[in-house]
Amino acid sequence: MKHIKVGLLSTFLALSVSANPFEGVTEKDSKCFARTYTKQELAAHKLQTVKQMTVKLGRRMDLNIIDVRVLRTNNKRYKAALACNDEGSCWIDCDGGSATLKLAGNALQFTNNGFIMQGGCGEDEKEIIFLESKPGGDDVFLLSPSRCK
């Protein structure tokens, strides 16, 4: 019984440690994840406006940062930078929205809680582009590991 408890504790600790999506990320070593959705996938999810998404996990001045790049179905490109804690909760200051990261095997689950991709924080409000979280649309993205560019 003692071996089972030790084994379960070891498994729990391993899962806890690997739950940090920023594990192994430094200012020099980033992790990247991406996905391009096919026409068939987009047709099956009519509310989705994201055609392609790339997320780069990095560190700057002891802070976890993600750079998110999005190509929308209107063929316009946008990008945003969010600060994150080790548990994968990410945000944009000035109430610019948030997202959550979670490892799913070797993939990254990016849950969009709604965030500004352009404008905000005192910038011209005519230029604000918000990626709204819609169930069955732009809410959850499963991204595969990719090369960082």
Side-chain angles (χ1 to χ4, degrees):
M1 187 66 164
K2 182 178 178 183
H3 293 292
I4 293 173
K5 287 180 183 177
V6 170
L8 289 173
L9 179 60
S10 298
T11 302
F12 174 77
L13 290 174
L15 289 174
S16 297
V17 170
S18 66
N20 176 355
F22 290 91
E23 184 177 340
V25 173
T26 67
E27 287 195 25
K28 294 182 181 181
D29 292 316
S30 301
K31 287 184 189 176
C32 294
F33 299 86
R35 182 163 180 185
T36 300
Y37 291 87
T38 65
K39 289 179 182 180
Q40 294 81 4
E41 288 171 320
L42 291 170
H45 299 94
K46 301 230 184 269
L47 297 176
Q48 184 170 327
T49 66
V50 172
K51 189 176 186 178
Q52 182 180 55
M53 179 180 277
T54 303
V55 175
K56 181 178 182 179
L57 285 64
R59 289 195 53 85
R60 291 186 206 133
M61 300 183 311
D62 293 329
L63 184 64
N64 295 325
I65 299 288
I66 60 170
D67 291 317
V68 180
R69 296 182 184 266
V70 170
L71 172 65
R72 296 185 86 173
T73 52
N74 62 4
N75 288 322
K76 292 189 178 182
R77 295 183 184 276
Y78 300 97
K79 60 184 176 177
L82 291 81
C84 305
N85 63 22
D86 287 341
E87 290 75 37
S89 292
C90 305
W91 63 92
I92 297 177
D93 285 339
C94 300
D95 199 21
S98 66
T100 305
L101 308 177
K102 183 173 141 183
L103 293 175
N106 68 345
L108 181 73
Q109 179 179 304
F110 181 97
T111 302
N112 171 27
N113 301 318
F115 64 93
I116 293 174
M117 293 188 297
Q118 177 179 309
C121 257
E123 294 183 31
D124 185 359
E125 291 196 20
K126 292 179 186 175
E127 298 295 323
I128 291 177
I129 304 295
F130 190 77
L131 184 61
E132 186 178 349
S133 178
K134 296 179 188 173
D138 295 324
D139 54 350
V140 179
F141 303 91
L142 189 60
L143 310 173
S144 298
S146 71
R147 292 177 46 129
C148 292
K149 296 179 182 180

